[in-house]
Amino acid sequence: MSDRRRLRVVARTEVADGVVRLDLGPEEGGAPLPTWSPGAHLDLHLADGLVRQYSLCGDPDDPERLSVAVLREADGRGGSEHVHTRLAAGDTVEVGGPRNHFELVDAASYVFVAGGIGITPIVPMLRAAEERGVPWVLVYGGRSRASMAFAEDLVAAYGADRVRLRPADEHGLLDLPAELGDVVPGRAVYCCGPGPLLDAVERVVGERDGEQLHLERFAPTGDVDTTGEAFEVELARTGTTLEVGPDESVLEALEDAGIAVESSCREGTCGTCETAVRGGVPEHRDAILTPEERAANDVMFVCVSRCLQGPLVLDL
């Protein structure tokens, strides 16, 4: 079932150099906004078939607005350019979601590491951690202070001792071992930002015991490969069996059979095509699931993942 709806751009605000915040609300007479939790994102369905995912950065308790912040990327694929040049207050836009593959888990304490526009899912997490009364600190890097969305507001709200601004033109690259400090048992480390930052945090925290690491990636960790040996997929709701060829993805096989599955990125990063697994063992190739979630084998992302042990039975 599609979760798409049209929302109105209530306000459009520049919050940093090259970053605009869109506040979205229901159309007149439209349905109430969906609920969401920190870490969730929206799909924005733009012109010419463009679909892009943007993290929600507002207040989950606000029933009137869903807010996203979008960085204008000169060498992007057109989504941010559309938002910056063609969406204005009063316009409407089709959205899907919210969906959340970056949930804020309960922990004894938190360290949040944000790089550039990766601050967006972190902002509501800070509010949630504060409400829970759990110790936290934010390490926020960017090119310059002027490019770092919400930076001064966060310092004003929480103090410079907990909001550590580290613009590269003043501090250089983040010194992650120093910023993360010693191992703190029970601490959760959350990171969102460009790939090199995520890789660096993963190297540092991956060598530690007693801390949880949670990453959200904007892009796959390497070249996207959906090929492999052919296998069969059984659709649990209809009993239909499909063969997935060596050079096609499960998603493509489903589409060829006329079976509609919501999808967007087709590279295992957005989570739109998440599908429940009723049997068999998927070969996970996404950049979303944690090792524990992969071991559960109860969901897969059909745009990239394949089959390790069949028959692969999907809840479709």
Side-chain angles (χ1 to χ4, degrees), residues 3-4 6 43-47 49-52 82 93-96 99 262-263:
D3 58 5
R4 296 187 195 179
R6 293 202 72 83
D43 303 331
L44 265 59
H45 294 259
L46 306 171
L50 289 174
V51 183
R52 296 292 182 265
H82 180 105
V93 61
E94 186 177 33
V95 306
R99 275 179 281 275
E262 285 282 320
S263 66

Side-chain angles (χ1 to χ4, degrees), residues 110-134:
Y110 301 99
V111 171
F112 300 100
V113 182
I117 198 62
I119 190 63
T120 50
I122 302 297
V123 170
M125 290 185 178
L126 302 181
R127 183 182 294 111
E130 191 76 354
E131 291 173 351
R132 295 177 188 182
V134 178

Side-chain angles (χ1 to χ4, degrees), residues 27-172:
E27 294 184 289
E28 186 173 350
L33 295 177
T35 60
W36 60 281
S37 57
H41 68 261
L42 283 181
D43 303 331
L44 265 59
H45 294 259
L46 306 171
D48 304 320
L50 289 174
V51 183
R52 296 292 182 265
Q53 288 71 41
Y54 299 108
S55 297
L56 288 162
C57 60
D59 183 354
D61 294 328
D62 185 347
E64 301 296 329
R65 297 191 179 193
L66 297 174
S67 301
V68 297
V70 180
L71 170 68
R72 187 172 189 173
E73 299 182 77
D75 56 351
R77 296 177 294 170
S80 67
E81 185 72 13
H82 180 105
V83 170
H84 276 255
T85 62
R86 298 173 62 180
L87 277 184
D91 290 345
T92 63
V93 61
E94 186 177 33
V95 306
R99 275 179 281 275
N100 199 340
H101 299 286
F102 196 43
E103 288 275 6
L104 184 66
V105 301
D106 290 331
S109 63
Y110 301 99
V111 171
F112 300 100
V113 182
I117 198 62
I119 190 63
T120 50
I122 302 297
V123 170
M125 290 185 178
L126 302 181
R127 183 182 294 111
E130 191 76 354
E131 291 173 351
R132 295 177 188 182
V134 178
W136 61 266
V137 66
L138 167 66
V139 181
Y140 182 11
R143 296 188 312 277
S144 65
R145 288 179 184 267
S147 72
M148 297 166 65
F150 311 119
E152 297 306 327
D153 290 341
L154 292 174
V155 171
Y158 301 117
D161 57 330
R162 289 193 293 171
V163 177
R164 304 175 186 168
L165 301 184
R166 300 291 187 263
D169 61 353
E170 298 175 26
H171 296 271

